[in-house]
């Protein structure tokens, strides 16, 4: 029985996650503030702890939590950082 | 002598009896995919890892699903209608298990499930839990040819197949066969793209939207509205992406205006919010399936709504323009009278507001407004999003009796629902409330423009309803014209 699929196979191709490094020492970590309430405070604490462990930290932000980050922001983070942390929820 | 056969396998290359016998004696088990005794036999054979070849009287996809359901990992062959191989073997019932020696002689035949006899044939203990024996079903080679032809048309049109594929919102869906999808498209170009559907960004070709409409249970006369609603949903200003992945319960609500309502058979009267009307239920559902399937916004996966709500199966209503004392929603929003349109709003399940006593427009407008005052959260004022009220005919009559226009009603609702900031400054409150002086009045809505009104519902009963909006997702209502000609 042949059916017409509602799915787009091109969109279903899974993207593998990059391998996880053993430590953050010497790595560049991008912190992305999605502009949820008090996200910056949370990321400040994360930055402090990462620097204590020898990481380089770069801060990024997108103006609205309710819309996806623009491609150029994602590309910039991907080009400059080894790891990324998003301040995701409230 | 065992009749020769060459049949397709579910894993690819066709398999001939001669191939099986070249490796030694063979055990062939004939089954169908809708026989409980065949499933029992396959489960037991699979559990014992018996080396048998199964011939399934069903298409390869159905045979594959049978393997998956029973855990059978051996060679599964698919026998197509009209089941000449089964007929050649003289089958009356399934399961029938035949042991065949390398020279082709049939050394043993077992009909039905018989634990002892089948254990002996395969040389393994197939287990002793009951039943020890169980008859099966008629082999399809015994069916009347007319019955076989009728079955071939539907070809195993089984709701379970859709559940197994995951092409459902939890309720049964209609299989999107090529014929049904073509009928739904009614000559439209299937390759036309409406764009990527968030959050998974699957491309909404008209063919995929039509597949969703078939799955939802739509008929072809519903599709013009489905297409317009899908286009509206993908307008950037609607921000479907935010709605599709939020922890909020909101879904996408469609309000239909114009001649398209009658053309689709939409209900604007008694029971307009459901259930009971195919057009309302299936059009709303088709839209949601585009999000959940094509857009991969399936609850629990990319859709992260904490609780969800029943309206997310689908919500579509028509405005009762003939009963309403006012201009219809789409004309208010700038379209010409006589055109057809869908307006999309992002909102929760409807909240009912009973008001059986108010006799003046002022009293009633205030009651409707205060009924909506705790939408989203009791102290979240202003709510900051467009809020759709469905006004029942009796309420519309009362509001219009004072000569009130829709704009007058909106203004009255807005004015009535205001509270001092000091009273709101508890629990979850807005920055505006946080910054205001205690005695400063804060309205539930930023402006009357955030209040949308349509008239619908039965003649008797003073129940209106309001949809709690999706909040903070940077969305605006979108109105899209419905193209009624193909």
């Amino acid at each position: 029985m042949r059916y017409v699929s509602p799915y787009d196979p091109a969109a279903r191709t899974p993207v593998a996650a990059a391998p996880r490094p053993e430590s953050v020492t010497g790595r560049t970590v991008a912190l992305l503030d999605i502009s949820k309430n008090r996200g910056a405070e949370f990321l400040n604490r994360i930055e402090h702890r990462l620097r204590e462990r020898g990481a380089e930290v770069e801060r990024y932000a997108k103006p609205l939590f309710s819309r996806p980050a623009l491609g150029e922001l994602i590309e910039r983070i991907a080009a400059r950082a080894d790891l990324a942390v998003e301040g995701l929820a409230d | 002598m065992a009749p020769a056969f060459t049949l397709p396998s579910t894993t690819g290359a066709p398999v001939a009896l001669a191939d099986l016998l070249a490796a030694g004696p063979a055990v062939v088990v004939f089954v169908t995919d809708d026989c409980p005794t065949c499933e029992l036999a396959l489960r037991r054979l699979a559990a014992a890892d018996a080396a048998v070849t199964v011939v399934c009287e069903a298409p390869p996809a159905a045979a594959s699903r049978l393997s998956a359901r029973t855990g059978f990992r051996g060679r599964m062959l698919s026998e197509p209608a009209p089941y000449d191989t089964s007929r050649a073997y003289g089958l009356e019932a399934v399961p029938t298990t035949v042991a065949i020696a390398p020279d082709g002689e049939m050394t043993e035949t077992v009909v039905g499930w018989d634990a002892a006899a089948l254990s002996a044939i395969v040389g393994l203990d197939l287990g002793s839990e009951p039943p020890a024996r169980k008859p099966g079903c008629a082999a399809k080679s015994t069916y009347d040819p007319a019955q076989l032809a009728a079955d071939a048309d539907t070809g195993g049109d089984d709701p379970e197949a859709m559940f197994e594929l995951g092409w459902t919102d939890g309720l049964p869906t209609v299989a999107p066969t090529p014929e049904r999808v073509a009928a739904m498209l009614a000559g439209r170009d299937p390759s036309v793209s409406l764009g990527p559907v968030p959050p998974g960004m699957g491309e909404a070709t008209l063919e995929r939207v039509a597949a969703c409409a078939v799955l939802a249970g739509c008929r072809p006369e519903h599709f013009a509205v489905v297409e317009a609603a899908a286009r509206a949903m993908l307008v950037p200003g609607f921000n479907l992406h935010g709605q599709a992945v939020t922890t909020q319960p909101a879904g996408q609500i469609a309000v239909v205006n114009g001649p398209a309502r009658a053309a689709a058979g939409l209900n604007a009267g008694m029971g307009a919010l459901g259930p009971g009307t195919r057009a309302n239920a299936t059009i709303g559902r088709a839209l949601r399936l585009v999000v959940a399937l094509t857009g991969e916004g399936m609850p629990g996966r990319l859709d992260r709504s904490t609780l969800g709500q029943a309206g997310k199966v689908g919500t579509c209503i028509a405005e009762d323009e003939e009963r309403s004392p006012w201009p219809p929603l789409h004309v208010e929003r700038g379209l010409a009278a006589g055109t057809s349109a869908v307006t999309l709003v992002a909102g929760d399940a409807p909240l009912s507001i009973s008001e059986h006593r108010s006799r003046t427009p002022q009293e009633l407008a205030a009651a409707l407004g205060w009924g909506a005052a705790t939408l989203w959260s009791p102290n979240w004022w202003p709510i900051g999003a467009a809020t759709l009220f469905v006004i029942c005919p009796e309420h519309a009559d009362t509001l219009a009796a004072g000569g009130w226009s829709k704009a007058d009603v909106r203004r009255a609702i807005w004015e009535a629902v205001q509270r001092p900031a000091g009273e709101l400054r508890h629990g979850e409150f807005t920055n505006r409330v946080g910054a205001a002086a205690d005695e400063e009045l804060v309205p539930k809505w930023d402006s009357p423009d955030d209040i949308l009104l349509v008239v619908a519902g039965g003649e008797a009963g003073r129940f209106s309803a309001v949809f709690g909006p999706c909040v903070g997702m940077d969305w605006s209502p979108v109105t899209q014209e419905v193209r009624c000609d193909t």
Side-chain angles (χ1 to χ4, degrees):
Chain A
M1 188 84 238
R2 240 199 80 227
Y3 303 121
V4 176
S5 173
Y7 286 105
D8 177 358
R12 311 206 89 191
T13 314
V15 177
R20 188 186 178 91
E22 273 152 34
S23 90
V24 297
T25 310
R27 302 271 181 193
T28 300
V29 183
L31 301 183
L32 174 60
D33 186 351
I34 70 165
S35 298
K36 276 276 192 171
N37 210 23
R38 302 181 70 179
E41 283 177 56
F42 171 74
L43 291 175
N44 288 344
R45 302 279 195 118
I46 300 286
E47 176 172 359
H48 180 75
R49 294 207 178 187
L50 287 169
R51 287 192 187 282
E52 277 181 336
R53 289 170 201 209
E56 289 291 314
V57 176
E58 294 190 348
R59 299 291 291 265
Y60 297 86
K62 69 178 176 95
L64 279 180
F65 58 77
S66 56
R67 288 185 180 269
L70 293 178
E72 63 197 29
L73 174 59
I74 297 177
E75 277 159 31
R76 204 164 7 120
I77 293 174
R80 294 180 58 87
D82 303 302
L83 299 160
V85 177
E86 266 195 279
L88 188 57
D90 280 284
Chain B
M1 293 297 283
F5 59 76
T6 301
L7 294 171
S9 127
T10 56
T11 54
V15 173
L17 177 60
D19 302 332
L20 300 178
L21 297 178
V27 175
V28 179
V29 184
F30 289 86
V31 301
T32 65
D33 71 322
D34 56 359
C35 163
T37 305
C38 295
E39 298 217 1
L40 165 65
L42 286 179
R43 280 184 216 281
R44 295 293 193 87
L45 289 164
D49 212 11
V52 303
T53 297
V54 177
V55 173
C56 180
E57 295 173 336
S64 275
R65 288 196 292 273
L66 178 63
S67 293
R69 281 201 301 280
T70 54
F72 178 73
R73 291 197 305 275
R75 205 178 289 106
M76 172 71 73
L77 308 183
S78 160
E79 183 186 7
Y83 312 112
D84 294 330
T85 305
S86 296
R87 192 168 297 104
Y89 276 77
L91 294 196
E92 303 223 320
V94 284
T96 291
T97 304
V98 185
I100 308 172
D103 65 358
E105 193 196 334
M106 295 192 288
T107 55
E108 183 132 19
T109 301
V110 176
V111 179
W113 165 253
D114 183 328
L118 289 171
S119 295
I121 284 194
V122 301
L124 295 165
D125 181 4
L126 294 180
S128 53
E129 320 116 63
R133 281 178 301 283
K134 189 177 181 204
C137 305
K140 289 199 175 142
S141 45
T142 66
Y143 283 23
D144 176 76
Q147 179 66 51
L148 280 182
D151 284 353
D153 271 349
T154 56
D157 197 7
D158 180 5
E160 289 304 322
M162 294 300 105
F163 280 113
E164 285 169 20
L165 287 167
W167 297 2
T168 135
D169 49 13
L171 289 165
T173 43
V174 177
T177 62
E179 296 72 30
R180 288 183 182 133
V181 172
M184 184 66 66
L185 286 168
R188 295 173 180 83
D189 181 351
S191 68
V192 164
S193 175
L194 275 50
V197 183
M201 300 309 182
E203 192 186 6
T205 58
L206 276 187
E207 184 179 65
R208 292 192 184 114
V209 176
C212 290
V214 171
L215 284 161
C218 289
R219 286 196 46 82
E221 60 262 29
H222 302 146
F223 192 67
V225 177
V226 172
E227 181 187 341
R231 287 182 185 280
M233 193 167 69
L234 297 177
V235 167
F238 190 62
N239 193 16
L240 176 63
H241 200 140
Q243 296 173 36
V245 298
T246 181
T247 43
Q248 295 177 50
Q252 295 72 45
I253 296 158
V255 179
V256 185
N257 286 110
R261 297 168 300 148
L266 282 159
N267 179 17
M270 190 188 308
L273 285 176
T277 306
R278 183 174 183 173
N280 296 42
T282 60
I283 292 171
R285 193 184 187 203
L287 194 63
R288 284 291 309 153
L289 288 177
V290 171
V291 182
L293 302 180
T294 312
E296 313 257 7
M298 184 58 79
R301 298 219 295 273
L302 290 180
D303 175 321
R304 307 298 279 181
S305 178
T306 308
L307 278 172
Q309 42 93 5
K312 283 177 74 171
V313 173
T315 305
C316 175
I317 62 168
E319 181 170 18
D320 195 340
E321 301 172 24
E322 293 71 21
R323 185 59 178 82
S324 169
W326 303 303
L329 179 67
H330 68 319
V331 169
E332 285 187 276
R333 290 177 59 77
L335 267 64
T339 57
S340 290
V342 181
T343 299
L344 286 198
V345 159
D348 305 347
L351 175 72
S352 173
I353 305 170
S354 162
E355 232 308 334
H356 285 74
R357 200 175 179 90
S358 290
R359 290 292 178 262
T360 68
Q362 293 85 353
E363 227 186 336
L364 179 53
L368 293 173
W370 281 104
T374 58
L375 288 175
W376 178 262
S377 188
N379 296 337
W380 191 262
W381 295 37
I383 197 166
T387 305
L388 173 66
F389 283 80
V390 181
I391 308 294
C392 67
E394 285 207 61
H395 281 168
D397 290 344
T398 300
L399 293 168
W404 283 24
S405 65
K406 262 190 184 177
D408 293 329
V409 176
R410 282 200 289 271
R411 174 136 219 112
I413 290 174
W414 177 80
E415 266 172 7
V417 192
Q418 315 226 355
R419 286 180 73 185
E423 288 179 17
L424 293 166
R425 211 175 289 117
H426 308 280
E428 184 174 285
F429 55 88
T430 61
N431 291 341
R432 175 169 169 179
V433 165
D438 278 0
E439 63 282 1
E440 183 180 324
L441 287 179
V442 179
K444 180 65 181 180
W445 291 276
D446 283 297
S447 89
D449 294 336
D450 271 349
I451 296 166
L452 302 183
L453 305 174
V454 295
V455 174
E459 279 298 329
R462 292 179 153 252
F463 292 93
S464 287
V466 64
F467 291 93
C470 181
V471 167
M473 283 294 143
D474 193 37
W475 71 275
S476 301
V478 174
T479 299
Q480 175 79 36
E481 198 168 335
V482 176
R483 288 194 285 225
C484 290
D485 52 289
T486 303

